[in-house]
PDB file of all heavy atoms in Angstrom:
ATOM      1  N   VAL A  70      31.080 127.191 -41.445  1.00  0.00           N
ATOM      2  CA  VAL A  70      30.660 125.936 -42.105  1.00  0.00           C
ATOM      3  C   VAL A  70      30.809 126.163 -43.607  1.00  0.00           C
ATOM      4  O   VAL A  70      30.116 127.002 -44.186  1.00  0.00           O
ATOM      5  CB  VAL A  70      29.193 125.575 -41.749  1.00  0.00           C
ATOM      6  CG1 VAL A  70      28.764 124.347 -42.517  1.00  0.00           C
ATOM      7  CG2 VAL A  70      29.054 125.349 -40.236  1.00  0.00           C
ATOM      8  N   ARG A  71      31.728 125.452 -44.235  1.00  0.00           N
ATOM      9  CA  ARG A  71      32.040 125.621 -45.681  1.00  0.00           C
ATOM     10  C   ARG A  71      30.981 124.922 -46.537  1.00  0.00           C
ATOM     11  O   ARG A  71      30.833 125.230 -47.702  1.00  0.00           O
ATOM     12  CB  ARG A  71      33.398 125.070 -46.005  1.00  0.00           C
ATOM     13  CG  ARG A  71      34.564 125.759 -45.307  1.00  0.00           C
ATOM     14  CD  ARG A  71      34.908 127.027 -45.969  1.00  0.00           C
ATOM     15  NE  ARG A  71      35.204 126.789 -47.337  1.00  0.00           N
ATOM     16  CZ  ARG A  71      36.128 127.393 -48.048  1.00  0.00           C
ATOM     17  NH1 ARG A  71      36.890 128.260 -47.452  1.00  0.00           N
ATOM     18  NH2 ARG A  71      36.306 127.131 -49.328  1.00  0.00           N
ATOM     19  N   GLY A  72      30.330 123.914 -46.004  1.00  0.00           N
ATOM     20  CA  GLY A  72      29.343 123.148 -46.774  1.00  0.00           C
ATOM     21  C   GLY A  72      29.569 121.688 -46.606  1.00  0.00           C
ATOM     22  O   GLY A  72      30.194 121.272 -45.656  1.00  0.00           O
ATOM     23  N   VAL A  73      29.049 120.882 -47.560  1.00  0.00           N
ATOM     24  CA  VAL A  73      29.260 119.455 -47.539  1.00  0.00           C
ATOM     25  C   VAL A  73      29.816 119.018 -48.894  1.00  0.00           C
ATOM     26  O   VAL A  73      29.493 119.629 -49.922  1.00  0.00           O
ATOM     27  CB  VAL A  73      27.994 118.657 -47.220  1.00  0.00           C
ATOM     28  CG1 VAL A  73      27.514 118.899 -45.792  1.00  0.00           C
ATOM     29  CG2 VAL A  73      26.894 118.961 -48.199  1.00  0.00           C
ATOM     30  N   ALA A  74      30.640 118.016 -48.840  1.00  0.00           N
ATOM     31  CA  ALA A  74      31.260 117.445 -50.065  1.00  0.00           C
ATOM     32  C   ALA A  74      30.996 115.964 -50.128  1.00  0.00           C
ATOM     33  O   ALA A  74      30.848 115.292 -49.081  1.00  0.00           O
ATOM     34  CB  ALA A  74      32.767 117.701 -50.042  1.00  0.00           C
ATOM     35  N   ASN A  75      30.845 115.443 -51.327  1.00  0.00           N
ATOM     36  CA  ASN A  75      30.658 114.021 -51.535  1.00  0.00           C
ATOM     37  C   ASN A  75      32.058 113.416 -51.693  1.00  0.00           C
ATOM     38  O   ASN A  75      32.731 113.667 -52.675  1.00  0.00           O
ATOM     39  CB  ASN A  75      29.790 113.782 -52.787  1.00  0.00           C
ATOM     40  CG  ASN A  75      29.526 112.315 -52.984  1.00  0.00           C
ATOM     41  OD1 ASN A  75      30.273 111.430 -52.492  1.00  0.00           O
ATOM     42  ND2 ASN A  75      28.473 112.021 -53.724  1.00  0.00           N
ATOM     43  N   VAL A  76      32.465 112.644 -50.707  1.00  0.00           N
ATOM     44  CA  VAL A  76      33.765 111.985 -50.751  1.00  0.00           C
ATOM     45  C   VAL A  76      33.522 110.470 -50.782  1.00  0.00           C
ATOM     46  O   VAL A  76      33.136 109.862 -49.788  1.00  0.00           O
ATOM     47  CB  VAL A  76      34.629 112.360 -49.549  1.00  0.00           C
ATOM     48  CG1 VAL A  76      35.937 111.622 -49.536  1.00  0.00           C
ATOM     49  CG2 VAL A  76      34.881 113.882 -49.498  1.00  0.00           C
ATOM     50  N   ARG A  77      33.754 109.893 -51.935  1.00  0.00           N
ATOM     51  CA  ARG A  77      33.551 108.489 -52.179  1.00  0.00           C
ATOM     52  C   ARG A  77      32.177 107.979 -51.651  1.00  0.00           C
ATOM     53  O   ARG A  77      32.056 106.983 -50.973  1.00  0.00           O
ATOM     54  CB  ARG A  77      34.671 107.664 -51.537  1.00  0.00           C
ATOM     55  CG  ARG A  77      35.997 107.890 -52.247  1.00  0.00           C
ATOM     56  CD  ARG A  77      37.147 107.073 -51.689  1.00  0.00           C
ATOM     57  NE  ARG A  77      37.477 107.384 -50.308  1.00  0.00           N
ATOM     58  CZ  ARG A  77      38.181 108.486 -49.917  1.00  0.00           C
ATOM     59  NH1 ARG A  77      38.569 109.376 -50.816  1.00  0.00           N
ATOM     60  NH2 ARG A  77      38.456 108.695 -48.625  1.00  0.00           N
ATOM     61  N   GLY A  78      31.127 108.773 -51.968  1.00  0.00           N
ATOM     62  CA  GLY A  78      29.765 108.365 -51.613  1.00  0.00           C
ATOM     63  C   GLY A  78      29.327 108.714 -50.210  1.00  0.00           C
ATOM     64  O   GLY A  78      28.204 108.436 -49.833  1.00  0.00           O
ATOM     65  N   ARG A  79      30.197 109.379 -49.465  1.00  0.00           N
ATOM     66  CA  ARG A  79      29.844 109.811 -48.080  1.00  0.00           C
ATOM     67  C   ARG A  79      29.811 111.352 -48.073  1.00  0.00           C
ATOM     68  O   ARG A  79      30.662 111.999 -48.701  1.00  0.00           O
ATOM     69  CB  ARG A  79      30.885 109.336 -47.076  1.00  0.00           C
ATOM     70  CG  ARG A  79      30.901 107.838 -46.861  1.00  0.00           C
ATOM     71  CD  ARG A  79      31.932 107.436 -45.873  1.00  0.00           C
ATOM     72  NE  ARG A  79      31.480 107.692 -44.533  1.00  0.00           N
ATOM     73  CZ  ARG A  79      32.251 107.535 -43.415  1.00  0.00           C
ATOM     74  NH1 ARG A  79      33.496 107.124 -43.531  1.00  0.00           N
ATOM     75  NH2 ARG A  79      31.751 107.786 -42.228  1.00  0.00           N
ATOM     76  N   LEU A  80      28.814 111.899 -47.305  1.00  0.00           N
ATOM     77  CA  LEU A  80      28.759 113.346 -47.179  1.00  0.00           C
ATOM     78  C   LEU A  80      29.693 113.774 -46.097  1.00  0.00           C
ATOM     79  O   LEU A  80      29.592 113.338 -44.912  1.00  0.00           O
ATOM     80  CB  LEU A  80      27.336 113.784 -46.842  1.00  0.00           C
ATOM     81  CG  LEU A  80      26.335 113.683 -48.014  1.00  0.00           C
ATOM     82  CD1 LEU A  80      24.976 114.159 -47.589  1.00  0.00           C
ATOM     83  CD2 LEU A  80      26.825 114.426 -49.252  1.00  0.00           C
ATOM     84  N   LEU A  81      30.626 114.628 -46.470  1.00  0.00           N
ATOM     85  CA  LEU A  81      31.643 115.135 -45.541  1.00  0.00           C
ATOM     86  C   LEU A  81      31.380 116.599 -45.240  1.00  0.00           C
ATOM     87  O   LEU A  81      31.577 117.471 -46.080  1.00  0.00           O
ATOM     88  CB  LEU A  81      33.058 114.991 -46.135  1.00  0.00           C
ATOM     89  CG  LEU A  81      34.230 115.528 -45.280  1.00  0.00           C
ATOM     90  CD1 LEU A  81      34.394 114.654 -44.053  1.00  0.00           C
ATOM     91  CD2 LEU A  81      35.528 115.520 -46.107  1.00  0.00           C
ATOM     92  N   PRO A  82      30.912 116.905 -44.024  1.00  0.00           N
ATOM     93  CA  PRO A  82      30.757 118.352 -43.636  1.00  0.00           C
ATOM     94  C   PRO A  82      32.156 118.995 -43.564  1.00  0.00           C
ATOM     95  O   PRO A  82      33.091 118.383 -43.030  1.00  0.00           O
ATOM     96  CB  PRO A  82      30.120 118.273 -42.283  1.00  0.00           C
ATOM     97  CG  PRO A  82      29.660 116.877 -42.071  1.00  0.00           C
ATOM     98  CD  PRO A  82      30.487 116.011 -42.962  1.00  0.00           C
ATOM     99  N   LEU A  83      32.275 120.180 -44.119  1.00  0.00           N
ATOM    100  CA  LEU A  83      33.552 120.905 -44.098  1.00  0.00           C
ATOM    101  C   LEU A  83      33.462 122.121 -43.200  1.00  0.00           C
ATOM    102  O   LEU A  83      32.573 122.963 -43.341  1.00  0.00           O
ATOM    103  CB  LEU A  83      33.914 121.348 -45.536  1.00  0.00           C
ATOM    104  CG  LEU A  83      34.140 120.210 -46.560  1.00  0.00           C
ATOM    105  CD1 LEU A  83      34.339 120.818 -47.951  1.00  0.00           C
ATOM    106  CD2 LEU A  83      35.306 119.366 -46.142  1.00  0.00           C
ATOM    107  N   THR A  84      34.441 122.198 -42.322  1.00  0.00           N
ATOM    108  CA  THR A  84      34.532 123.323 -41.387  1.00  0.00           C
ATOM    109  C   THR A  84      35.818 124.133 -41.690  1.00  0.00           C
ATOM    110  O   THR A  84      36.893 123.529 -41.707  1.00  0.00           O
ATOM    111  CB  THR A  84      34.592 122.852 -39.937  1.00  0.00           C
ATOM    112  OG1 THR A  84      33.383 122.155 -39.653  1.00  0.00           O
ATOM    113  CG2 THR A  84      34.754 123.999 -38.944  1.00  0.00           C
TER     114      THR A  84
END
Side-chain angles (χ1 to χ4, degrees):
V70 176
R71 299 279 306 218
V73 293
N75 182 338
V76 176
R77 292 182 296 285
R79 292 179 77 186
L80 289 181
L81 178 68
L83 297 174
T84 298

